[in-house]
Amino acid sequence: MGTFKVGALVFDIGSYSVRAGYAGEDCPKADFPTVIGVTLDREDGSTPMETDGDKGKQSGTTYYIDTNQLRVPRENMEVMSPLKNGMKLMFEHYNIPAFFLCKSAVLSAFANGRSTGLVLDSGATHTTAIPVHDGYVLQQGIVKSPLAGDFMSMQCRELFQELSVEIIPPYMIASKDSVREGSPASWKKKEKLPQVTRSWHNYMCNCVIQDFQASVLQVSDSPYDEQVAAQMPTVHYELPNGYNCDFGAERLKIPEGLFDPSNAKGLSGNTMLGVGHVVTTSVGMCDIDIRPGLYGSVVVTGGNTLIQGFTDRLNRELSQKTPPSMRLKLIANNTTVERRFSAWIGGSILASLGTFQQMWISKQEYEEGGKQCVDRKCP
Amino acid sequence: MGTGADVRDILELTGGENDGPISKKDLINSDKKKSKKTTETLTFKRPEGMHREVYALLYSDKKDAPPLLPSDTTQGYRTVKAKLGCKKVRPWKWMPFTNPARRDGAIFHHWRRVAEEGKDYPFARFNKTVQVPVYSEQEYQVHLHDDGWTKAETDHLFDLCKRFDLRFIVVHDRYDYQQYRKRSVEDLKERYYSICGKLTKVRAASGTEPKIYIFDAGHERRRKEQLEKLFNRTPEQVAEEEYLIQELRKIETRKKEREKKAQDLQKLIKAADTTTELRRAEKRVSKKKLPQKRETEKPAVPETAGIKFPDFKSAGVTLRSQRMKLPSSVGQKKNKAIEQILMEQGVDLNPMPTEEIVQMFNELRSDLVLLYELKQAHSNCEYEQQMLRHRYEALLKAGSGGGCGGITGAGLAAATQGGELNSTNSTLASTPGGDAQSWPSTDDIKVEAKEQIIDVVGAPLTPNSRKRRESASSSSSVKKVKKP
């Protein structure tokens, strides 16, 4: 018996981070944010940020990414990517022998051992419910909602503004003193700070807010109730500049916007769907014969779902909305690695299957068929 | 330490050959003994890797045979340790290979053992595809033409079927709606299977009957509609349906109870009549003919009426008074009733058990029980009649339209039924023949009365009761259709 896998690379390009690594492993080797720094031609060498990660735009300037851990000889390796862009770039620029594209929802389902199910992906920019049937995505049933990680970050930012707390990213802080809870921070600014651009500063502040978001916020079990929220235990959090506070009701109020958008501030009208509604709408658009199959494996992925209490609340909402005879099963991995990287892991699994070798799009096929072969061969 | 020899020496006992230094004999003897032991007993060698205690469990005595067939335990029992480094290294090589499942013959590279060079890619055999029929232009024009489908659309459908291996849900999802019309899954399936069927028929050799898969699109559509409705039921509807089902069950159990009571009553009355008939037959016919008639008529007497005295078929000697003993199936109340009547009439509770007396006494007690049961049934019917009459009067006063007619009918029927019983009870001198004939008709009335009574008693007395009944029956039919 030998290893029949071909050496393959798997890329998963998301809106928050890019995951990349070798097929056959259980977690990506490189996981870095999807932001590209472009140096402007300035004397001081500051690095302003472009916040969209599309590689194909300008081919002249050089790009920096935060960590570059893959050193890969590009001749003989095949590349598998869960996104649709960049294929042309791959074949022509990098001269790879074979390529394959796959939808990340399908890969997330595979990573959890299922070929049929509803994949609920709540990431940074979007929350989407994608029904997958027999390894194929049912495009008519995809439901997207913009309420996701970025929305919550925005709400956190507003909360801090209300509390009139300034967000100071760590790079600016030279030293800080410990202060009492709730009192304004006392810290010293670093001297000789380089002139940073606005976008980079914002990026750094966002990192601080995302850290707050990840550690403090919690989703309540039942729809938000003022009295119940007041009784919840508070969590202490300290910002990089030394400001520390106990957060109680706000912890529960902010993520409530995900499930029940009518209460959330800053939304244009009430046309947004809560997470529970997103799922049920998506299943509702599918053929009735497969609905039990979809409800029986609801795969929860995405970094935003790691908020404490998210899966319990989702479970509760779905069991309320479905008829009582429906068997509902939520599949949510407990480890952060698996949930954030489930699409990548699925790609790794797929690329290492023996029976997958016949599905690669080789260079010959691309030359013969062009872009249409992608539509044909990739599900 | 004192040895045996020393002790004997002290006690001045002569031990025989034990004097003198240890000679070879002792040693040789002992050897012989030992060797004897070894040849006598069967030793089962403890397999390597098995612990001593475990072995002791299996083979406790040397004389015991092992409980299982002795097998070679060296191989299986212990965990096999990998013997590394035994043989020569098998080298691996970065080899190019082709995959027969691929159509373009692309050459990939991977690591493989040198020994397996040249062999086929083993996973190629998993490349199974579904056989989608391909038709020619001619065939289409001649056989497969359809008004609702253009050729282009049909081609598109077949192309999708081939790509997605007949996964119709995915085909339906990827179907081109802009170019062609919007089709449901059933439409696609219908078209596909009809074409397949026609093609198999056309292409089959003449004389053979090919098996064609018939797809019933209408049935599928109805089934899916039903499922949709079921899926979209609100919780209130579900609760209402459950409530209705419970009510239905209650009604049915009540109906069964009443039927059972009616049957018991019927049996009772029959028994009463047949016993009277028997009595008459006895009085009329001479004693010689008696045994014959009795035999023919005895089976008509149901066993529930009266008391059945067990017949002693035991061989040997028994006391006659045993036959007089009341069986334990007779309840306390009936017992008391019997005793009371006997005391009233001045009959001895335990008479002298001569043959005739025993028989008569048993018969008497059986009749007494029958009488008692009839009296009870009569009083029950009277009570029911009273109740219904009260209800009828109450409803008349309330003046609701729908239930009235039914109730009046029920009331009257119950009254007639009660009347019947009255007549049979009071005069035992009724003609059995006439009664036997009239039984079926009264049965019918009784059954009808029961049904009407049930309707009145079971459902709430509102104009909506009919509606509820209808919806209950329709919901059960929903459940039946849901099954396929």
Side-chain angles (χ1 to χ4, degrees), chain B residues 29-41:
Chain B
N29 274 342
S30 60
D31 279 339
K32 271 191 189 168
K33 279 182 194 166
K34 271 186 197 165
S35 62
K36 260 192 185 174
K37 266 188 190 170
T38 49
T39 48
E40 269 173 24
T41 60

Side-chain angles (χ1 to χ4, degrees), chain B residues 101-203:
Chain B
R102 292 190 66 91
R103 270 170 285 155
D104 58 356
I107 297 177
F108 294 128
H109 292 76
H110 64 181
W111 289 105
R112 256 183 120 165
R113 287 221 180 93
V114 173
E116 289 173 14
E117 192 167 3
K119 281 195 211 160
D120 258 342
Y121 191 61
F123 290 97
R125 64 193 167 100
F126 291 116
N127 189 33
K128 300 276 179 229
T129 49
V130 179
Q131 293 298 326
V132 174
V134 180
Y135 48 80
S136 65
E137 183 73 36
Q138 274 179 320
E139 276 178 326
Y140 183 85
Q141 296 300 338
V142 175
H143 303 282
L144 308 172
H145 196 74
D146 190 288
D147 286 333
W149 290 76
T150 62
K151 175 132 198 328
E153 205 172 353
T154 315
D155 285 344
H156 176 65
L157 170 67
F158 269 73
D159 175 51
L160 282 175
C161 286
K162 186 145 194 210
R163 265 172 70 193
F164 295 119
D165 296 324
L166 288 188
R167 293 188 174 99
F168 278 103
I169 299 199
V170 188
V171 170
H172 172 253
D173 179 61
R174 304 294 166 100
Y175 201 73
D176 196 348
Y177 289 118
Q178 276 84 39
Q179 212 175 349
Y180 310 112
R181 270 190 295 161
K182 195 168 169 60
R183 300 267 183 193
S184 70
V185 183
E186 286 76 47
D187 290 338
L188 302 176
K189 278 191 188 175
E190 199 181 357
R191 180 72 175 143
Y192 176 79
Y193 286 120
S194 69
I195 288 183
C196 279
K198 284 185 199 157
L199 281 177
T200 42
K201 249 197 283 183
V202 165
R203 289 174 184 173

